[in-house]
Amino acid sequence: MTWDTIANIMIGGVLTGLVYALMALGLSVIFGVIKVVNFAHGEMMALAMYAAFVIFSTYGLDPLLATPIIAGGLFLIGYIMQRALVAPFVTRPEHEQFILLLAVAILLVNGLLLIFGPDAQSVMVEYGFDSFEVGPLILDKVKVYAAAASIAVALSLLLFFKYTRTGKAIRACSDNLRGAQVVGLNIKNLYALTFGLGAACVGAAGCLLSMLVDITPMLAPELTLLAFIIVIIGGLGSLSGALLGGVLIGASEALAGLLITPSMKSLFSFGLLILVLAIRPQGLLGKRSS
Amino acid sequence: MSVPLLKIDQLAKSFKGLRAVDGVSIEVPEGKIYALIGPNGAGKTTIFNMIAGVFAPTEGQVLFGGQDITGLRPDQVCQAGIGRTFQVVKPFNDLSVLDNVLVGALRKTPHVDEAREAASTILKQLGLDGKSQQMATNLTLPERKRLEVARALATGPQLLLLDEVMAGLRPTETDEMVTFFRNLNKETGITILLIEHVMRAVMALSERVYVVNYGQLLSQGTPDEVVNDQAVLDCYLGEDAF
Amino acid sequence: MERIFGGVPKRALGLLGLMIASLIIAPAIVNAYVLSVILITLYFAYVGQAWNLMMGYAGQLSLGHTLYVGLGAYTSAALFVHFGISPLIGLFVGMAIAVAAGALIGSMAFRFGIGGVYFALLTIAFAEFTRILFEHFDWVGAMGGFFLPVENRDSSDFLNLRGGPVMFYYVILFLCFAALGVNQWLLRSRLGYYWMAIREDQEAAQAVGINTFRYKMIAVMISAAMTALGGVFIAFYYNNLFPADAFGMHRSIELILAPIIGGMGTLFGPILGAFILTPLGEGLTILMESMGVKAAGVKQLFYGVILLVIIRFVPGGVWPLISKKLGIDKRMKGKSE
């Protein structure tokens, strides 16, 4: 095995990791503000992947171009979900929130299974096998595009939080809920917006990931776990942590696939998660809550 | 000269560089009722939490009956003989009032039946026996404060740390509580250290008062001495003026 | 016996007796299919009770509980297949390994104060970690599965847990109601009160002298041991084991449905939940088949709907509602009203 191969695989992992990061960012946004852990995150991602697949196979629309549509669709779903389902649970015990979203996850994954069946589907764009050559490195075009789009979406979200009125209002809810209520912010609406934004992230990520991996319903719980692993490693609620965690997991999975066997690559992620939970439960970039 | 039951020595606690408690020393002799007062944010509850083992002090020592208990866990502190209440009450909401106290009483006996009997006795003393089958979550705030006391007492402590148990009570209820603690102290010889804002209760109950402000001991003495101390008046007035 | 039955209202005891009696005579009345449904119902009632100790009473949400099922199953099966060791001995080894795993997870989580969601995720991580390990563990068949020899099912060899469905039926019936008795006994002891105190408020529990770490550890270990025993049963009943099935997350979820629906933190909730859920699920499958619909996921979809409705509208579960109607004393359950 040459260094070139290793470098290629690692970079491939990092690029995929950026898409994971976008997915995890969605989870982190929701938790950071609403303090509810979206246990149906991977299932929403799978929903987006199937949406990308349907749009591609029916209209031939490239997932890259379908991203805004699917992100918008997931935004709506997220918004409605928060309003109709999650809102009354915000003040309920943690385990009840968890079970509620678990139920949503079960509904989503089995709904997908019922509609699309258990077999893998794939989205094969024309440039699916093309690549960029940069010196000795060969980069898959789809991965580069997906990663670039992920960065673009993540960046626009961060800018939204930083500079827009609504973004600032959402951050205010997250920093000091009581204060936000006192100054008259519409918490219900802001929470729903936040859940929508988190869902939009996962929608975009799912749409982009559909170009990189085969789509099956069974991918959904794995993605949920992956999203959790990433945010816990990065620090639950920390946005930059989610990005770092995503890249880290992408790279380490690629490396593990190279060093051990591909089927054991998630062993590596789980190992990493257990290690982080044991040594630094607040995550790499998270703040200690006490 | 006998060893004080509780002696905290140069206790200090920093939170992220902020010195919440800065070198406080207090002694409480056995069988006495002492009070710890001071404006909001003065560090009273932090001192309590260090005694009770919720967090370890940055510097200093806590001695209980001559034994060093600094840095022990809360349950170990309780096992050593210190019972406490919480300023923000923490009842076991989904358990009955009786079971709340029963859990406390299980420190002295592993037998549930004996603990239940002990718990009923304590509930009677605190006038909560009529409510013993209710869920704790259904109690009013003054009742929950009393439940808090009952549960701490059930562990059979030598020293009772009371964190604002009179706050929010009506004057007659306060007087009842004062009478209760005074009788308890007389009958069982239990030592009490209380944090209290209700000066009426402090004056009536405590033999000696420590005043903390900005994490430091500002004054100490009998209740009369303390309320006539200009420095103490200033610190309270300062707070009011704010 | 006083510790178990004392104070339980006569009416409740009567109903319970009636239920057990009808379950005992069931094999003589119902056909093989119905018996297999009751059998699996009892299995879920059993493991649900084990999980309920930890979540319902000690308040620790484990979402990777199938880890203990899998460890119990694989251990006893491997000992039997490779060394001919009877599962009646193997079950102790299986339970010991599950207890060790539970202790490892617990000590990591509780020592560092990992609670709530983090704890749940840690339990999932361990179960998934173990699943992947077993998928590469050739000694027990790896991905290809691990099989117990299926012999003549007409004769019963209880010592080796080889026999027909009726034998297995009585085994799980015994386990299910033995667990009920054990739980009732545990919950009326100091241990049970301490668990509930920890569930309600850890800080307050510590303040009354409860070593929360220790009692949470005990909860995990007892629950792990009980669950592993269920795993031994399931291994010898089905005769085959696959890592994805033994350790998969969907199994953990399946396992917690009954106690949630029946009522977490109630003694009888897991049993009631299992008797509601499993027959309904089976009935639905039959209905779908009779209509010629062969669709994977319908049953799970249905479970999802039930779970959603329960947690949205009756988060306390069904048992508290029913026990009130039946006029059964609240002492039957941990929390009431």
Side-chain angles (χ1 to χ4, degrees), chain A residues 1-12 137 254-255 258-259:
Chain A
M1 209 181 322
T2 64
W3 285 108
D4 287 357
T5 344
I6 297 178
N8 275 329
I9 288 175
M10 289 294 285
I11 289 175
L137 300 177
L255 194 65
L258 195 68
L259 296 179

Side-chain angles (χ1 to χ4, degrees), chain B residues 182-202:
Chain B
R182 201 185 277 143
N183 289 341
L184 186 75
N185 169 262
K186 211 177 285 169
E187 285 159 20
T188 65
I190 192 170
T191 312
I192 298 175
L193 177 62
L194 58 136
I195 292 179
E196 201 51 71
H197 269 307
V198 183
M199 281 313 282
R200 177 192 178 91
V202 174

Side-chain angles (χ1 to χ4, degrees), chain C residues 72 75-76 79 86-96 161 225 228-229 232:
Chain C
T75 308
S76 56
L79 288 176
S86 157
L88 296 191
I89 295 166
L91 66 89
F92 291 105
V93 185
M95 283 161 83
L161 268 191
L229 196 54
V232 177

Side-chain angles (χ1 to χ4, degrees), chain C residues 130-176:
Chain C
T130 314
R131 171 180 66 82
I132 300 167
L133 276 185
F134 271 75
E135 282 177 352
H136 297 86
F137 193 5
D138 291 325
W139 192 60
V140 287
M143 290 271 252
F146 190 56
F147 302 93
L148 282 87
V150 181
E151 282 150 23
N152 187 358
R153 289 203 130 198
D154 296 333
S155 64
S156 289
D157 172 9
F158 177 69
L159 290 181
N160 285 315
L161 268 191
R162 305 282 69 194
V166 174
M167 183 195 81
F168 281 102
Y169 175 84
Y170 282 115
V171 170
I172 195 67
L173 181 63
F174 170 77
L175 282 181
C176 182

Side-chain angles (χ1 to χ4, degrees), chain A:
Chain A
M1 209 181 322
T2 64
W3 285 108
D4 287 357
T5 344
I6 297 178
N8 275 329
I9 288 175
M10 289 294 285
I11 289 175
V14 169
L15 292 175
T16 313
L18 282 165
V19 182
Y20 289 161
L22 182 59
M23 158 183 80
L25 190 65
L27 187 67
S28 221
V29 163
I30 295 171
F31 179 80
V33 179
I34 312 174
K35 311 283 180 262
V36 166
V37 174
N38 181 16
F39 202 67
H41 208 66
E43 285 72 9
M44 288 164 78
M45 178 109 164
L47 184 68
M49 292 176 83
Y50 274 106
F53 164 73
V54 169
I55 290 177
F56 179 78
S57 54
T58 331
Y59 305 104
L61 188 62
D62 188 321
L64 272 178
L65 301 174
T67 305
I69 305 171
I70 292 173
L74 264 285
F75 174 85
L76 269 183
I77 293 175
Y79 188 92
I80 295 168
M81 228 172 92
Q82 168 66 26
R83 272 263 144 124
L85 217 56
V86 184
F89 278 79
V90 170
T91 48
R92 288 230 214 144
E94 216 175 30
H95 70 266
E96 287 183 12
Q97 301 171 353
F98 220 68
I99 292 166
L100 173 80
L101 286 153
L102 185 66
V104 173
I106 295 174
L107 290 177
L108 278 176
V109 72
N110 289 293
L112 290 174
L113 183 66
L114 217 54
I115 297 168
F116 296 101
D119 297 332
Q121 314 279 3
S122 62
V123 172
M124 210 59 228
V125 287
E126 272 172 44
Y127 49 89
F129 292 114
D130 295 354
S131 51
F132 295 115
E133 287 183 35
V134 186
L137 300 177
I138 303 163
L139 310 174
D140 296 341
K141 258 188 182 172
V142 278
K143 283 190 182 164
V144 173
Y145 289 155
S150 296
I151 294 175
V153 176
L155 260 181
S156 42
L157 188 76
L158 295 179
L159 290 177
F160 169 80
F161 279 127
K162 195 142 189 160
Y163 294 112
T164 65
R165 251 184 101 75
T166 318
K168 284 180 190 165
I170 290 175
R171 278 195 299 153
C173 295
S174 146
D175 291 343
N176 185 345
L177 182 59
R178 184 70 61 80
Q181 281 168 325
V182 168
V183 299
L185 293 177
N186 182 347
I187 306 292
K188 266 193 179 164
N189 189 47
L190 289 174
Y191 271 13
L193 277 177
T194 307
F195 210 107
L197 285 174
C201 279
V202 83
C207 185
L208 296 169
L209 193 68
S210 72
M211 298 197 294
L212 309 186
V213 301
D214 287 347
I215 313 163
T216 71
M218 285 311 123
L219 203 57
E222 282 176 33
L223 287 171
T224 298
L225 287 176
L226 197 65
F228 278 122
I229 292 174
I230 291 169
V231 294
I232 286 177
I233 287 173
L236 201 51
S238 152
L239 301 190
S240 42
L243 294 177
L244 176 73
V247 172
L248 216 60
I249 283 293
S252 71
E253 282 204 343
L255 194 65
L258 195 68
L259 296 179
I260 327 169
T261 76
S263 61
M264 281 179 92
K265 67 177 186 183
S266 33
L267 195 70
F268 210 74
S269 315
F270 286 119
L272 206 57
L273 172 69
I274 292 169
L275 208 67
V276 168
L277 278 178
I279 296 166
R280 203 178 148 82
Q282 75 272 35
L284 296 177
L285 298 186
K287 287 173 249 149
R288 241 184 208 292
S289 56
S290 76

Side-chain angles (χ1 to χ4, degrees), chain B residues 146 149 165-166 169 173-181:
Chain B
R146 274 188 278 164
V149 174
V165 288
M166 324 263 185
L169 299 193
E173 290 169 335
T174 306
D175 291 343
E176 276 173 32
M177 278 290 236
V178 166
T179 315
F180 170 75
F181 287 123

